[in-house]
Amino acid sequence: MDRSSLLQLIQEQISSKRSSSFKRAIANGQRALPQDGMLDEPGLGVYKRFVRYVAYEILPREVDRHWYFYRHRSCPPPVFMASVTLAQIIVFLCYGARLNKWVLQTYHPEYMKSPLVYHPGHRARAWRFLTYMFMHVGLEQLGFNALLQLMIGVPLEMVHGLLRISLLYLAGVLAGSLTVSITDMRAPVVGGSGGVYALCSAHLANVVMNWAGMRCPYKLLRMVLALVCMSSEVGRAVWLRFSPPLPASGPQPSFMAHLAGAVVGVSMGLTILRSYEERLRDQCGWWVVLLAYGTFLLFAIFWNIFAYDLLGAHIPPPP
């Protein structure tokens, strides 16, 4: 079967992204893969080479890589991660120009007055549990998060789709602020680290669990570098929280959002990434993860409503 015939056969049998499994069709003999490596063929354009790179970076099985390589379409583009990153940069530039401060912005007395920042004194303003992801401590945190969102988030969105990756990212962001409201009750939260760590930990866990099948180059070295960078970012957040280098009017942003995002990534994210071309609702593990996450949400909501008063928590006055 030549390439054109194979492409026509694939296109005819696709009705939606997850309508039928390519792997099951291969197993049933309904489709065939050529003997040579289609992903290694010469003469590809720049964009198609990038698609091939994404296939090798994200997917652990050759069958899945072939399937993604030939069925991928440039429309719709991976708009979610790009839009979030662009919005974060715009918000940072606006506040940087307004405060005339580009590093450690949280030390400026006007910074915490933003309607986007999560502050324990403003827990009733529920949107802040999500919108804090648009604010950042400074250029260093924004640069780290934006880089990972584009390097890891965009390829993940290209492979797994907008709905799945946006759900994972926002679940990490929400879990981050709710975890801080439970474990570090006096601290505010800024930055998209909860969502970033959900994406990164899900991808790294997927690479480890499919180590033999992953064909991304220098995967061990890149894994070590990623873990070192992520650990360094957490260490920096811990240092700023407990040993602030400058006098501040209140507690500095908590680091617990990073850890909460990592937990979401290893649980919910890994389930999503391992279900390529499979309906999530057909996966038993998906419902277990949803039940656990829903239980956490209910607990966190009741905690924020009742625990602060019952425990007599002394939170800093809202700005």
Side-chain angles (χ1 to χ4, degrees):
M1 181 182 296
D2 57 17
R3 177 183 172 184
S4 60
S5 300
L6 177 64
L7 283 172
Q8 182 178 1
L9 179 61
I10 290 177
Q11 292 171 355
E12 289 175 353
Q13 297 192 24
I14 300 174
S15 58
S16 64
K17 180 176 182 180
R18 293 176 176 85
S19 59
S20 61
S21 171
F22 185 50
K23 291 176 285 187
R24 287 199 300 268
I26 291 290
N28 295 334
Q30 298 172 2
R31 299 174 184 161
L33 290 172
Q35 297 299 320
D36 57 343
M38 291 190 296
L39 302 185
D40 297 326
E41 59 189 28
L44 297 176
V46 175
Y47 182 75
K48 205 61 178 178
R49 288 179 180 274
F50 178 66
V51 173
R52 180 178 62 182
Y53 163 81
V54 169
Y56 280 128
E57 285 290 312
I58 304 300
L59 295 170
R61 298 184 56 185
E62 192 67 21
V63 167
D64 292 334
R65 287 191 283 262
H66 280 70
W67 176 229
Y68 170 75
F69 180 75
Y70 281 116
R71 63 160 294 280
H72 175 76
R73 299 292 181 269
S74 58
C75 186
V79 295
F80 175 75
M81 293 310 310
S83 300
V84 168
T85 304
L86 180 61
Q88 291 171 339
I89 293 174
I90 292 175
V91 170
F92 176 78
L93 292 177
C94 290
Y95 275 90
R98 176 185 173 186
L99 305 176
N100 194 26
K101 192 174 181 64
W102 304 96
V103 179
L104 299 179
Q105 289 184 348
T106 53
Y107 289 91
H108 196 286
E110 296 295 318
Y111 181 87
M112 287 298 173
K113 295 182 180 180
S114 169
L116 302 178
V117 173
Y118 166 80
H119 189 281
H122 291 309
R123 299 188 315 282
R125 302 175 184 179
W127 70 85
R128 291 175 179 255
F129 285 91
L130 283 175
T131 57
Y132 77 91
M133 71 180 186
F134 295 109
M135 304 290 290
H136 286 81
V137 172
L139 185 61
E140 68 288 350
Q141 186 190 25
L142 173 64
F144 179 81
N145 287 348
L147 182 64
L148 290 180
Q149 286 173 179
L150 296 178
M151 291 184 62
I152 297 179
V154 169
L156 286 176
E157 185 179 348
M158 289 176 63
V159 173
H160 296 281
L162 182 148
L163 290 179
R164 292 188 174 193
I165 297 306
S166 61
L167 173 63
L168 175 59
Y169 185 88
L170 294 177
V173 170
L174 182 58
S177 56
L178 290 175
T179 300
V180 170
S181 71
I182 296 172
T183 61
D184 199 357
M185 299 169 66
R186 301 183 70 250
V189 191
V190 296
S193 298
V196 170
Y197 275 63
L199 296 177
C200 293
S201 59
H203 178 57
L204 293 179
N206 190 46
V207 170
V208 171
M209 294 190 66
N210 299 280
W211 188 262
M214 299 300 294
R215 293 186 58 186
C216 48
Y218 309 109
K219 54 187 174 183
L220 180 58
L221 176 61
R222 293 165 63 182
M223 173 77 69
V224 172
L225 289 177
L227 292 176
V228 169
C229 292
M230 293 171 67
S231 300
S232 300
E233 171 63 16
V234 174
R236 185 194 66 87
V238 173
W239 170 62
L240 291 177
R241 174 67 180 89
F242 295 111
S243 299
L246 298 174
S249 58
Q252 289 300 293
S254 176
F255 60 93
M256 291 301 297
H258 300 70
L259 305 182
V263 173
V264 170
V266 173
S267 55
M268 179 184 293
L270 188 58
T271 303
I272 291 176
L273 299 193
R274 295 183 67 186
S275 299
Y276 175 70
E277 278 301 319
E278 301 289 343
R279 293 184 177 91
L280 287 175
R281 64 174 180 266
D282 296 334
Q283 310 296 318
C284 179
W286 172 246
W287 294 107
V288 173
V289 170
L290 279 187
L291 178 61
Y293 192 81
T295 302
F296 165 73
L297 289 183
L298 288 176
F299 174 80
I301 291 172
F302 280 100
W303 180 277
N304 278 273
I305 294 175
F306 301 110
Y308 279 74
D309 293 332
L310 293 176
L311 298 177
H314 298 286
I315 61 176

